[in-house]
Amino acid sequence: MLKGKVAIVTGGTRGIGYEIVRKYLTNGAQVILFGSRKESVDKALDKLKNENPDWKVDGMWPKLTDAADVENAVLAIKEKYGRIDILVNNAGISQNTPLYNYTPEEFDKVIDLNVKAVFYAILPVARIMKEQGGGCIINTSSMVSISGQPAGVGYPASKFAVNGITISLARELGKDHIRVNAVAPGVTKTDMVAALPEATVKAISSKIPIGRPGEPEEVADAFLYLASDMASYVTGTILSVDGASKA
Ligand code: NAD
């Protein structure tokens, strides 16, 4: 489904991002995954090449909250691979801090990575996509961008902003043949959820209409669909993959 496409996936070393990378590789893309440290990038690349030595995968670790660093990485990718067809903004952090314990620094931290870094990556990539005649950007939102959450207000605030960026840029960039969408996962079984006690996972699951957390592979399928030609007329969409949790 993605043969010949060049894709960047931020936060591709573990969790949902890692499964997006695998899904894109399985479907023939050249993937450049971004991680926060060289060690975690090398570890992910080793694991992927172990699984399939023919997969075309590379890794980088620009500081996502530094616009210049991200731009340099993007330009290096364009130089090496000639084009960028898909940008997945997946790296993100969450917060659960109650309002009365919040610090401005903590709020800034989540906004810097979940919002500003999304904008910093889109800026140089969109210019390249326009020049080459099109492309596709997929941001990672969350079900809390629709329902909010009972503590840690910075996190839903950041994901509401991701939806705003997605819908607005879809309108602005449509004429340049750049599609912009987001995936809004519900509770997904990444390391963080897998590490919770069984009783906690049971309690969370009982509130999910489908009766269980999502698997990272199920979320990655939505990223494959949106990146593929099957979604050629889909833009400005926030695609929920949450077992109806937000209902
Ligand atoms: P995870 O913690 O397993 O992975 C996060 C990824 O982001 C990692 O690859 C990590 O290296 C990267 N990252 C974190 N901080 C970074 C930084 N400062 N600079 C660069 N990279 C950084 O998380 P996940 O659950 O796979 O989450 C991926 C995305 O999905 C996030 O945007 C998250 O908000 C969203 N999401 C997750 C869930 C869930 O239940 N897991 C639900 C809704 C949305």
Side-chain angles (χ1 to χ4, degrees):
M1 284 166 82
L2 302 181
K3 206 159 185 267
K5 306 266 190 200
V6 178
I8 298 173
V9 179
T10 74
T13 57
R14 60 169 200 256
I16 293 170
Y18 184 79
E19 290 308 325
I20 297 169
V21 170
R22 284 188 66 238
K23 197 71 72 179
Y24 283 8
L25 291 170
T26 310
N27 280 272
Q30 162 70 57
V31 180
I32 301 92
L33 65 85
F34 283 3
S36 44
R37 290 174 300 115
K38 181 182 187 308
E39 300 74 52
S40 54
V41 168
D42 285 346
K43 200 171 143 202
L45 291 177
D46 280 352
K47 212 167 133 193
L48 290 162
K49 284 178 180 156
N50 237 2
E51 187 174 348
N52 188 337
D54 294 333
W55 277 346
K56 292 177 274 179
V57 61
D58 214 339
M60 299 177 87
W61 48 95
K63 192 168 168 26
L64 296 182
T65 52
D66 179 333
D69 210 24
V70 174
E71 183 179 14
N72 287 337
V74 167
L75 293 178
I77 291 166
K78 160 82 165 97
E79 180 74 24
K80 184 166 178 190
Y81 297 102
R83 55 189 298 111
I84 299 169
D85 300 287
I86 302 159
L87 167 66
V88 174
N89 283 307
N90 163 78
I93 45 169
S94 63
Q95 290 174 346
N96 289 308
T97 315
L99 182 69
Y100 301 118
N101 299 338
Y102 244 108
T103 62
E105 291 74 22
E106 196 177 350
F107 190 84
D108 285 348
K109 200 173 163 196
V110 75
I111 299 298
D112 283 351
L113 182 66
N114 293 12
V115 184
K116 288 190 190 173
V118 169
F119 176 72
Y120 295 161
I122 289 174
L123 212 48
V125 168
R127 288 192 188 116
I128 291 166
M129 287 177 171
K130 181 184 180 200
E131 198 185 290
Q132 72 193 15
C136 147
I137 297 167
I138 311 171
N139 299 319
T140 309
S141 183
S142 166
M143 69 174 178
V144 305
S145 76
I146 293 150
S147 60
Q149 66 181 30
V153 69
Y155 183 65
S158 74
K159 296 301 188 180
F160 271 74
V162 165
N163 291 2
I165 290 172
T166 303
I167 295 165
S168 301
L169 289 184
R171 297 184 66 176
E172 186 174 344
L173 303 181
K175 63 178 182 326
D176 300 322
H177 310 288
I178 301 171
R179 295 186 296 107
V180 189
N181 292 291
V183 174
V187 179
T188 308
K189 251 193 188 162
T190 54
D191 291 353
M192 195 180 70
V193 176
L196 294 173
E198 210 183 308
T200 312
V201 176
K202 252 192 178 161
I204 294 171
S205 300
S206 71
K207 293 193 184 118
I208 302 172
I210 220 164
R212 62 173 177 83
E215 298 291 338
E217 295 88 336
E218 293 175 301
V219 177
D221 276 329
F223 283 85
L224 174 61
Y225 162 68
L226 288 172
S228 77
D229 290 342
M230 287 178 76
S232 55
Y233 198 59
V234 180
T235 189
T237 291
I238 314 297
L239 178 54
S240 291
V241 183
D242 63 2
S245 302
K246 70 196 170 299

mmCIF file of all heavy atoms in Angstrom, residues 6 17 24 35 39 46 55 93 100 102-103 118 152 154 192 195 197 246:
data_model
loop_
_atom_site.group_PDB
_atom_site.id
_atom_site.type_symbol
_atom_site.label_atom_id
_atom_site.label_comp_id
_atom_site.label_asym_id
_atom_site.label_seq_id
_atom_site.Cartn_x
_atom_site.Cartn_y
_atom_site.Cartn_z
ATOM 1 N N VAL A 6 8.230 7.651 1.088
ATOM 2 C CA VAL A 6 9.189 7.958 2.150
ATOM 3 C C VAL A 6 8.414 8.549 3.326
ATOM 4 O O VAL A 6 7.677 9.532 3.157
ATOM 5 C CB VAL A 6 10.262 8.957 1.657
ATOM 6 C CG1 VAL A 6 11.221 9.316 2.787
ATOM 7 C CG2 VAL A 6 11.022 8.393 0.456
ATOM 8 N N GLY A 17 3.970 4.274 18.026
ATOM 9 C CA GLY A 17 4.864 4.706 16.945
ATOM 10 C C GLY A 17 5.632 3.543 16.334
ATOM 11 O O GLY A 17 5.785 3.457 15.113
ATOM 12 N N TYR A 24 4.149 0.393 8.235
ATOM 13 C CA TYR A 24 4.592 1.091 7.020
ATOM 14 C C TYR A 24 5.676 0.272 6.302
ATOM 15 O O TYR A 24 5.677 0.174 5.073
ATOM 16 C CB TYR A 24 5.125 2.493 7.365
ATOM 17 C CG TYR A 24 4.045 3.528 7.649
ATOM 18 C CD1 TYR A 24 2.697 3.173 7.747
ATOM 19 C CD2 TYR A 24 4.354 4.872 7.819
ATOM 20 C CE1 TYR A 24 1.711 4.117 8.014
ATOM 21 C CE2 TYR A 24 3.376 5.830 8.078
ATOM 22 C CZ TYR A 24 2.059 5.439 8.180
ATOM 23 O OH TYR A 24 1.083 6.385 8.435
ATOM 24 N N GLY A 35 13.566 9.205 17.354
ATOM 25 C CA GLY A 35 13.447 8.881 18.774
ATOM 26 C C GLY A 35 14.111 9.976 19.576
ATOM 27 O O GLY A 35 14.714 10.889 19.004
ATOM 28 N N GLU A 39 20.503 5.785 21.705
ATOM 29 C CA GLU A 39 20.442 4.407 22.198
ATOM 30 C C GLU A 39 19.082 3.768 21.893
ATOM 31 O O GLU A 39 19.010 2.618 21.453
ATOM 32 C CB GLU A 39 20.677 4.345 23.720
ATOM 33 C CG GLU A 39 22.023 4.876 24.200
ATOM 34 C CD GLU A 39 22.122 6.401 24.152
ATOM 35 O OE1 GLU A 39 21.227 7.081 24.690
ATOM 36 O OE2 GLU A 39 23.083 6.923 23.546
ATOM 37 N N ASP A 46 17.724 -2.159 15.471
ATOM 38 C CA ASP A 46 18.224 -3.545 15.579
ATOM 39 C C ASP A 46 17.063 -4.525 15.583
ATOM 40 O O ASP A 46 17.073 -5.547 14.897
ATOM 41 C CB ASP A 46 19.016 -3.723 16.884
ATOM 42 C CG ASP A 46 20.426 -3.176 16.751
ATOM 43 O OD1 ASP A 46 20.807 -2.813 15.617
ATOM 44 O OD2 ASP A 46 21.126 -3.082 17.789
ATOM 45 N N TRP A 55 13.832 -4.723 5.320
ATOM 46 C CA TRP A 55 13.070 -3.497 5.569
ATOM 47 C C TRP A 55 13.964 -2.280 5.410
ATOM 48 O O TRP A 55 15.123 -2.269 5.863
ATOM 49 C CB TRP A 55 12.464 -3.521 6.978
ATOM 50 C CG TRP A 55 11.175 -4.290 7.036
ATOM 51 C CD1 TRP A 55 10.418 -4.693 5.981
ATOM 52 C CD2 TRP A 55 10.513 -4.749 8.219
ATOM 53 N NE1 TRP A 55 9.304 -5.376 6.439
ATOM 54 C CE2 TRP A 55 9.342 -5.419 7.802
ATOM 55 C CE3 TRP A 55 10.792 -4.651 9.587
ATOM 56 C CZ2 TRP A 55 8.448 -5.990 8.699
ATOM 57 C CZ3 TRP A 55 9.903 -5.214 10.482
ATOM 58 C CH2 TRP A 55 8.739 -5.878 10.041
ATOM 59 N N ILE A 93 3.744 13.102 25.280
ATOM 60 C CA ILE A 93 3.752 12.723 26.696
ATOM 61 C C ILE A 93 2.392 13.077 27.289
ATOM 62 O O ILE A 93 1.714 13.978 26.797
ATOM 63 C CB ILE A 93 4.873 13.444 27.508
ATOM 64 C CG1 ILE A 93 4.928 14.939 27.157
ATOM 65 C CG2 ILE A 93 6.204 12.772 27.302
ATOM 66 C CD1 ILE A 93 5.800 15.759 28.087
ATOM 67 N N TYR A 100 -4.435 21.796 41.282
ATOM 68 C CA TYR A 100 -3.838 22.522 42.406
ATOM 69 C C TYR A 100 -2.370 22.156 42.623
ATOM 70 O O TYR A 100 -1.662 22.840 43.356
ATOM 71 C CB TYR A 100 -4.666 22.295 43.683
ATOM 72 C CG TYR A 100 -6.105 22.765 43.488
ATOM 73 C CD1 TYR A 100 -7.173 21.877 43.573
ATOM 74 C CD2 TYR A 100 -6.383 24.099 43.173
ATOM 75 C CE1 TYR A 100 -8.469 22.304 43.363
ATOM 76 C CE2 TYR A 100 -7.677 24.532 42.951
ATOM 77 C CZ TYR A 100 -8.715 23.628 43.049
ATOM 78 O OH TYR A 100 -10.000 24.053 42.826
ATOM 79 N N TYR A 102 -0.361 21.602 39.851
ATOM 80 C CA TYR A 102 0.313 21.887 38.579
ATOM 81 C C TYR A 102 1.334 22.997 38.723
ATOM 82 O O TYR A 102 1.158 23.919 39.512
ATOM 83 C CB TYR A 102 -0.713 22.377 37.543
ATOM 84 C CG TYR A 102 -0.888 21.478 36.341
ATOM 85 C CD1 TYR A 102 -2.038 20.719 36.159
ATOM 86 C CD2 TYR A 102 0.106 21.409 35.369
ATOM 87 C CE1 TYR A 102 -2.215 19.906 35.055
ATOM 88 C CE2 TYR A 102 -0.052 20.593 34.252
ATOM 89 C CZ TYR A 102 -1.215 19.847 34.104
ATOM 90 O OH TYR A 102 -1.379 19.050 33.019
ATOM 91 N N THR A 103 2.403 22.918 37.907
ATOM 92 C CA THR A 103 3.327 24.060 37.800
ATOM 93 C C THR A 103 3.291 24.532 36.350
ATOM 94 O O THR A 103 3.018 23.736 35.440
ATOM 95 C CB THR A 103 4.773 23.651 38.135
ATOM 96 O OG1 THR A 103 5.194 22.662 37.186
ATOM 97 C CG2 THR A 103 4.900 23.111 39.546
ATOM 98 N N VAL A 118 4.859 19.468 16.965
ATOM 99 C CA VAL A 118 4.039 19.066 15.804
ATOM 100 C C VAL A 118 4.136 20.149 14.732
ATOM 101 O O VAL A 118 4.383 19.877 13.551
ATOM 102 C CB VAL A 118 2.567 18.830 16.239
ATOM 103 C CG1 VAL A 118 1.646 18.679 15.042
ATOM 104 C CG2 VAL A 118 2.474 17.615 17.163
ATOM 105 N N GLY A 152 -4.908 16.579 35.005
ATOM 106 C CA GLY A 152 -3.841 16.696 34.012
ATOM 107 C C GLY A 152 -4.296 17.489 32.799
ATOM 108 O O GLY A 152 -4.168 17.048 31.654
ATOM 109 N N GLY A 154 -3.277 19.829 31.032
ATOM 110 C CA GLY A 154 -2.368 20.149 29.929
ATOM 111 C C GLY A 154 -2.462 19.142 28.795
ATOM 112 O O GLY A 154 -2.326 19.510 27.616
ATOM 113 N N MET A 192 3.158 1.515 29.008
ATOM 114 C CA MET A 192 2.577 2.197 30.163
ATOM 115 C C MET A 192 1.337 1.448 30.678
ATOM 116 O O MET A 192 1.203 1.185 31.862
ATOM 117 C CB MET A 192 2.193 3.609 29.736
ATOM 118 C CG MET A 192 1.911 4.561 30.835
ATOM 119 S SD MET A 192 1.483 6.164 30.134
ATOM 120 C CE MET A 192 -0.122 5.779 29.434
ATOM 121 N N ALA A 195 2.059 -2.118 32.066
ATOM 122 C CA ALA A 195 2.706 -2.156 33.384
ATOM 123 C C ALA A 195 1.718 -1.971 34.538
ATOM 124 O O ALA A 195 2.068 -2.167 35.697
ATOM 125 C CB ALA A 195 3.772 -1.059 33.450
ATOM 126 N N PRO A 197 -1.328 -2.767 37.185
ATOM 127 C CA PRO A 197 -1.819 -3.997 37.802
ATOM 128 C C PRO A 197 -3.080 -4.505 37.078
ATOM 129 O O PRO A 197 -3.845 -3.692 36.533
ATOM 130 C CB PRO A 197 -2.162 -3.570 39.229
ATOM 131 C CG PRO A 197 -1.553 -2.232 39.419
ATOM 132 C CD PRO A 197 -1.300 -1.628 38.089
ATOM 133 N N LYS A 246 -15.118 7.282 24.239
ATOM 134 C CA LYS A 246 -15.477 8.686 24.527
ATOM 135 C C LYS A 246 -16.990 8.880 24.559
ATOM 136 O O LYS A 246 -17.449 9.946 24.942
ATOM 137 C CB LYS A 246 -14.889 9.605 23.470
ATOM 138 C CG LYS A 246 -15.590 9.426 22.140
ATOM 139 C CD LYS A 246 -14.861 9.989 20.992
ATOM 140 C CE LYS A 246 -15.517 9.545 19.708
ATOM 141 N NZ LYS A 246 -15.511 8.077 19.548
#
